[in-house]
Amino acid sequence: QVQLLESGGGLVQPGGSLRLSCAVSGRAFTGLTMAWFRQPPGKDREFVAAVKRSTNSMSYKNSLKGRFTISRDNAKNTLYLQMNSLEPDDTAVYYCAATVRSLNTSSLAGEKEYEYWGQGTQVTVSS
């Protein structure tokens, strides 16, 4: 069983930065395709970014490219999300997700593709 534990959320002013972490245990980290999703208040959960397990190639929600960066440290079994130039619309609960499957690029954004989820960490962007 894979366990995912997010951290790093909090309150930040517009224009600020945060780095979220997702500590992974229970399975070899290198064998997992990893992703970040978020759920803004009153809205559905949406894809943020993903990194493939084999090639480490990355995929992003188009509107977040250039501000958000996903990365993984296989030695630390940890997934990261660096978020810069944060805006109030980035306010959401951010979730880490994992699958043992190797996904096609077109499938990375699919919420149903991931069988393991963290509990989420709150990010609030407000002055």
Side-chain angles (χ1 to χ4, degrees), residues 8-64:
L11 174 64
V12 62
Q13 292 186 342
S17 297
L18 279 178
R19 188 177 78 158
L20 304 183
S21 300
C22 174
V24 180
S25 60
R27 193 180 180 102
F29 184 60
T30 53
L32 298 171
T33 296
M34 301 295 301
W36 289 99
F37 287 78
R38 69 183 184 182
Q39 186 167 19
K43 297 183 179 180
D44 293 333
R45 192 155 54 185
E46 63 181 13
F47 172 73
V48 173
V51 56
K52 291 185 176 182
R53 69 176 193 178
S54 54
T55 64
N56 282 338
S57 63
M58 294 165 282
S59 179
Y60 293 92
K61 177 180 172 67
N62 283 337
S63 62
L64 300 178

Coordinates of all heavy atoms in Angstrom, one line a residue, residues 8-64:
G8 N 3.7 21.6 3.4 CA 4.2 22.8 2.8 C 3.2 23.9 2.5 O 3.5 25.0 2.0
G9 N 1.9 23.6 2.7 CA 0.9 24.5 2.4 C 0.8 25.6 3.4 O 1.6 25.6 4.5
G10 N 0.0 26.6 3.2 CA -0.1 27.7 4.1 C -0.7 29.0 3.5 O -1.2 28.9 2.4
L11 N -0.6 30.1 4.2 CA -1.1 31.4 3.7 C 0.1 32.1 3.1 O 1.2 32.3 3.8 CB -1.7 32.1 4.9 CG -2.1 33.6 4.6 CD1 -3.3 33.6 3.6 CD2 -2.6 34.2 5.9
V12 N -0.1 32.7 1.9 CA 0.9 33.4 1.3 C 0.3 34.6 0.6 O -0.9 34.5 0.1 CB 1.7 32.5 0.2 CG1 0.8 32.0 -0.8 CG2 2.9 33.3 -0.4
Q13 N 1.0 35.7 0.4 CA 0.5 36.9 -0.2 C 0.6 36.7 -1.7 O 1.4 36.0 -2.2 CB 1.3 38.1 0.2 CG 1.0 38.5 1.6 CD 1.7 39.8 2.0 OE1 2.6 40.3 1.3 NE2 1.3 40.4 3.1
P14 N -0.3 37.4 -2.5 CA -0.2 37.4 -3.9 C 1.2 37.7 -4.4 O 1.8 38.7 -3.9 CB -1.2 38.4 -4.4 CG -2.2 38.4 -3.3 CD -1.4 38.2 -2.0
G15 N 1.7 37.0 -5.4 CA 3.1 37.2 -5.9 C 4.1 36.4 -5.1 O 5.3 36.3 -5.6
G16 N 3.8 35.7 -4.0 CA 4.7 34.9 -3.3 C 4.9 33.5 -3.8 O 4.3 33.2 -4.9
S17 N 5.7 32.8 -3.1 CA 6.0 31.4 -3.5 C 5.8 30.4 -2.4 O 5.9 30.8 -1.2 CB 7.5 31.3 -4.0 OG 7.7 32.2 -5.1
L18 N 5.6 29.2 -2.8 CA 5.5 28.1 -1.8 C 6.1 26.9 -2.5 O 5.9 26.7 -3.7 CB 4.1 27.8 -1.4 CG 3.4 28.6 -0.3 CD1 2.0 28.2 -0.1 CD2 4.2 28.5 1.0
R19 N 6.6 25.9 -1.7 CA 7.0 24.7 -2.2 C 6.3 23.6 -1.5 O 6.5 23.5 -0.2 CB 8.5 24.4 -2.2 CG 8.9 23.2 -2.9 CD 10.4 22.9 -2.9 NE 10.9 22.4 -1.7 CZ 12.1 21.7 -1.5 NH1 12.8 21.5 -2.6 NH2 12.5 21.3 -0.3
L20 N 5.5 22.8 -2.2 CA 4.8 21.7 -1.6 C 5.7 20.4 -1.7 O 6.4 20.3 -2.7 CB 3.4 21.4 -2.2 CG 2.5 22.6 -2.3 CD1 1.2 22.2 -2.9 CD2 2.3 23.2 -0.9
S21 N 5.6 19.6 -0.7 CA 6.3 18.3 -0.7 C 5.3 17.2 -0.5 O 4.2 17.4 0.1 CB 7.3 18.2 0.4 OG 8.3 19.2 0.3
C22 N 5.6 16.0 -1.1 CA 4.8 14.8 -0.9 C 5.7 13.7 -0.6 O 6.5 13.2 -1.5 CB 4.0 14.5 -2.1 SG 3.0 13.0 -2.1
A23 N 5.7 13.2 0.6 CA 6.6 12.1 1.0 C 5.9 10.8 0.7 O 4.7 10.6 1.1 CB 6.9 12.2 2.5
V24 N 6.6 9.9 0.1 CA 6.0 8.7 -0.4 C 6.6 7.5 0.4 O 7.8 7.4 0.5 CB 6.2 8.5 -1.9 CG1 5.5 7.2 -2.4 CG2 5.6 9.7 -2.6
S25 N 5.8 6.6 0.8 CA 6.2 5.3 1.4 C 5.4 4.2 1.0 O 4.3 4.3 0.5 CB 6.2 5.5 3.0 OG 4.9 5.7 3.4
G26 N 5.9 3.0 1.2 CA 5.1 1.8 1.0 C 5.4 1.1 -0.3 O 5.0 -0.1 -0.6
R27 N 6.1 1.8 -1.2 CA 6.4 1.2 -2.5 C 7.6 1.9 -3.1 O 7.8 3.1 -2.8 CB 5.2 1.2 -3.5 CG 5.4 0.4 -4.7 CD 4.2 0.5 -5.6 NE 4.4 -0.4 -6.8 CZ 3.8 -1.5 -7.0 NH1 3.0 -2.0 -6.0 NH2 4.0 -2.2 -8.1
A28 N 8.3 1.3 -4.0 CA 9.5 1.9 -4.6 C 9.0 3.2 -5.4 O 8.2 3.1 -6.3 CB 10.2 1.0 -5.6
F29 N 9.6 4.3 -5.0 CA 9.2 5.6 -5.5 C 9.4 5.7 -7.0 O 8.6 6.2 -7.8 CB 9.9 6.7 -4.8 CG 9.5 8.1 -5.2 CD1 8.2 8.5 -5.0 CD2 10.5 9.0 -5.7 CE1 7.9 9.8 -5.4 CE2 10.1 10.3 -6.0 CZ 8.8 10.7 -5.9
T30 N 10.5 5.0 -7.5 CA 10.8 5.1 -8.9 C 9.8 4.4 -9.7 O 9.8 4.6 -11.0 CB 12.2 4.5 -9.1 OG1 12.3 3.2 -8.6 CG2 13.3 5.4 -8.5
G31 N 9.0 3.5 -9.1 CA 8.0 2.8 -9.9 C 6.7 3.5 -9.9 O 5.7 2.8 -10.4
L32 N 6.6 4.7 -9.5 CA 5.3 5.4 -9.4 C 5.3 6.6 -10.4 O 6.2 7.4 -10.5 CB 5.1 5.9 -8.0 CG 4.9 4.9 -6.9 CD1 4.9 5.6 -5.6 CD2 3.7 4.1 -7.1
T33 N 4.2 6.7 -11.1 CA 3.9 8.0 -11.8 C 3.2 8.9 -10.8 O 2.2 8.5 -10.1 CB 2.9 7.7 -13.0 OG1 3.6 6.8 -14.0 CG2 2.5 9.0 -13.7
M34 N 3.7 10.1 -10.7 CA 3.2 11.0 -9.7 C 2.6 12.3 -10.3 O 2.9 12.7 -11.3 CB 4.4 11.5 -8.8 CG 5.2 10.3 -8.1 SD 4.2 9.4 -6.9 CE 3.7 10.7 -5.8
A35 N 1.6 12.8 -9.5 CA 0.9 14.0 -10.0 C 0.5 14.9 -8.8 O 0.4 14.4 -7.7 CB -0.3 13.6 -10.8
W36 N 0.2 16.1 -9.1 CA -0.4 17.1 -8.2 C -1.8 17.5 -8.8 O -1.9 17.8 -10.0 CB 0.4 18.3 -8.0 CG 1.6 18.1 -7.2 CD1 2.9 18.0 -7.7 CD2 1.7 18.1 -5.8 NE1 3.8 17.8 -6.6 CE2 3.1 17.9 -5.4 CE3 0.8 18.2 -4.7 CZ2 3.5 17.8 -4.1 CZ3 1.2 18.1 -3.4 CH2 2.6 17.9 -3.1
F37 N -2.8 17.5 -8.0 CA -4.1 18.0 -8.3 C -4.5 19.1 -7.3 O -3.8 19.1 -6.2 CB -5.2 16.9 -8.3 CG -5.1 15.9 -9.5 CD1 -4.1 14.9 -9.5 CD2 -6.0 16.0 -10.5 CE1 -4.0 14.0 -10.6 CE2 -5.9 15.1 -11.6 CZ -4.9 14.1 -11.6
R38 N -5.5 19.9 -7.6 CA -5.9 20.8 -6.6 C -7.5 21.0 -6.7 O -8.0 20.7 -7.8 CB -5.3 22.2 -6.8 CG -5.7 22.9 -8.1 CD -4.9 24.2 -8.2 NE -5.3 25.0 -9.4 CZ -4.7 26.1 -9.8 NH1 -3.7 26.6 -9.1 NH2 -5.2 26.8 -10.8
Q39 N -8.1 21.4 -5.6 CA -9.5 21.6 -5.6 C -9.8 23.0 -5.0 O -9.7 23.2 -3.7 CB -10.2 20.5 -4.8 CG -11.7 20.6 -4.8 CD -12.4 19.4 -4.3 OE1 -11.9 18.6 -3.6 NE2 -13.7 19.2 -4.7
P40 N -10.1 24.0 -5.8 CA -10.4 25.3 -5.3 C -11.8 25.2 -4.5 O -12.6 24.3 -4.8 CB -10.6 26.1 -6.6 CG -9.8 25.4 -7.6 CD -10.0 23.9 -7.3
P41 N -12.0 26.2 -3.7 CA -13.3 26.2 -2.9 C -14.5 26.2 -3.8 O -14.6 27.0 -4.8 CB -13.2 27.5 -2.1 CG -11.8 28.0 -2.2 CD -11.1 27.3 -3.4
G42 N -15.4 25.2 -3.6 CA -16.6 25.2 -4.4 C -16.5 24.6 -5.8 O -17.5 24.7 -6.6
K43 N -15.3 24.1 -6.1 CA -15.1 23.7 -7.5 C -14.6 22.2 -7.5 O -14.3 21.7 -6.4 CB -14.1 24.6 -8.2 CG -14.5 26.0 -8.4 CD -13.5 26.8 -9.1 CE -13.9 28.2 -9.3 NZ -12.9 29.0 -10.1
D44 N -14.6 21.6 -8.7 CA -14.1 20.3 -8.8 C -12.6 20.2 -8.7 O -11.9 21.2 -9.0 CB -14.5 19.7 -10.1 CG -16.0 19.5 -10.2 OD1 -16.7 19.3 -9.2 OD2 -16.6 19.5 -11.4
R45 N -12.1 19.0 -8.4 CA -10.6 18.8 -8.4 C -10.1 18.9 -9.8 O -10.7 18.4 -10.7 CB -10.3 17.5 -7.7 CG -8.9 17.3 -7.4 CD -8.6 16.4 -6.2 NE -9.2 15.1 -6.4 CZ -9.2 14.1 -5.4 NH1 -8.6 14.4 -4.3 NH2 -9.8 13.0 -5.7
E46 N -8.9 19.5 -10.0 CA -8.4 19.7 -11.3 C -6.9 19.3 -11.3 O -6.2 19.4 -10.3 CB -8.5 21.1 -11.8 CG -7.8 22.2 -10.9 CD -8.0 23.6 -11.4 OE1 -8.9 23.8 -12.3 OE2 -7.2 24.5 -11.0
F47 N -6.4 18.9 -12.5 CA -5.0 18.6 -12.7 C -4.1 19.8 -12.6 O -4.5 20.8 -13.1 CB -4.9 17.9 -14.1 CG -3.5 17.6 -14.5 CD1 -2.8 16.6 -13.9 CD2 -2.9 18.4 -15.5 CE1 -1.5 16.3 -14.3 CE2 -1.6 18.1 -15.9 CZ -0.9 17.1 -15.3
V48 N -3.0 19.6 -12.0 CA -2.0 20.6 -11.9 C -0.7 20.3 -12.7 O -0.3 21.0 -13.6 CB -1.6 20.9 -10.5 CG1 -0.4 21.9 -10.4 CG2 -2.8 21.5 -9.7
A49 N -0.1 19.1 -12.4 CA 1.1 18.7 -13.0 C 1.4 17.2 -12.7 O 0.8 16.7 -11.7 CB 2.3 19.5 -12.6
A50 N 2.2 16.6 -13.6 CA 2.5 15.2 -13.4 C 3.9 14.9 -13.9 O 4.4 15.6 -14.7 CB 1.5 14.3 -14.1
V51 N 4.5 13.9 -13.4 CA 5.8 13.4 -13.8 C 5.8 11.9 -14.0 O 5.4 11.2 -13.1 CB 6.9 13.9 -12.9 CG1 6.7 13.4 -11.4 CG2 8.3 13.5 -13.4
K52 N 6.2 11.4 -15.1 CA 6.2 10.0 -15.4 C 7.2 9.3 -14.6 O 8.3 9.8 -14.2 CB 6.4 9.8 -16.9 CG 5.3 10.3 -17.8 CD 5.6 9.9 -19.2 CE 4.4 10.3 -20.1 NZ 4.6 9.9 -21.5
R53 N 7.0 8.0 -14.4 CA 7.8 7.2 -13.6 C 9.1 6.7 -14.3 O 10.1 6.6 -13.7 CB 7.1 5.9 -13.1 CG 6.8 4.9 -14.2 CD 6.1 3.7 -13.6 NE 6.1 2.6 -14.6 CZ 5.7 1.4 -14.3 NH1 5.2 1.1 -13.1 NH2 5.6 0.5 -15.2
S54 N 9.0 6.6 -15.6 CA 10.2 6.0 -16.3 C 11.1 7.0 -16.9 O 12.3 7.0 -16.8 CB 9.7 5.0 -17.3 OG 8.7 5.6 -18.2
T55 N 10.4 8.0 -17.6 CA 11.2 9.0 -18.4 C 11.4 10.3 -17.6 O 12.2 11.1 -18.0 CB 10.5 9.3 -19.7 OG1 9.2 9.9 -19.3 CG2 10.2 8.1 -20.5
N56 N 10.6 10.4 -16.5 CA 10.6 11.7 -15.7 C 10.2 12.9 -16.5 O 10.4 14.0 -16.2 CB 12.0 12.0 -15.1 CG 12.3 11.1 -13.8 OD1 11.3 10.7 -13.2 ND2 13.5 11.0 -13.5
S57 N 9.5 12.6 -17.7 CA 9.0 13.7 -18.4 C 7.8 14.3 -17.7 O 7.1 13.6 -16.9 CB 8.6 13.3 -19.8 OG 7.6 12.3 -19.7
M58 N 7.5 15.6 -17.9 CA 6.6 16.3 -17.1 C 5.4 16.8 -17.9 O 5.6 17.1 -19.1 CB 7.2 17.4 -16.3 CG 8.2 17.0 -15.3 SD 9.3 18.3 -14.7 CE 10.5 18.3 -16.1
S59 N 4.3 17.0 -17.3 CA 3.1 17.6 -18.0 C 2.5 18.6 -17.0 O 2.5 18.3 -15.8 CB 2.1 16.5 -18.3 OG 1.0 17.0 -19.0
Y60 N 1.9 19.7 -17.6 CA 1.3 20.7 -16.8 C 0.0 21.1 -17.3 O -0.3 21.1 -18.5 CB 2.2 22.0 -16.7 CG 3.6 21.8 -16.0 CD1 4.7 21.4 -16.7 CD2 3.7 22.0 -14.7 CE1 5.9 21.2 -16.1 CE2 4.9 21.9 -14.0 CZ 6.0 21.5 -14.7 OH 7.2 21.3 -14.1
K61 N -0.8 21.6 -16.4 CA -2.0 22.4 -16.8 C -1.5 23.6 -17.6 O -0.6 24.3 -17.1 CB -2.8 22.8 -15.6 CG -4.1 23.6 -15.9 CD -4.8 23.9 -14.6 CE -5.9 24.9 -14.8 NZ -7.0 24.4 -15.6
N62 N -2.1 23.8 -18.7 CA -1.5 24.8 -19.6 C -1.4 26.2 -18.9 O -0.4 26.9 -19.1 CB -2.3 25.0 -20.9 CG -2.1 23.8 -21.9 OD1 -1.0 23.2 -21.8 ND2 -3.0 23.6 -22.7
S63 N -2.4 26.6 -18.2 CA -2.4 27.9 -17.6 C -1.4 28.1 -16.5 O -1.2 29.2 -16.0 CB -3.8 28.2 -17.1 OG -4.2 27.3 -16.1
L64 N -0.8 27.0 -16.0 CA 0.2 27.0 -14.9 C 1.6 26.9 -15.4 O 2.5 27.1 -14.6 CB -0.1 25.9 -13.9 CG -1.5 25.9 -13.3 CD1 -1.7 24.8 -12.4 CD2 -1.7 27.3 -12.6

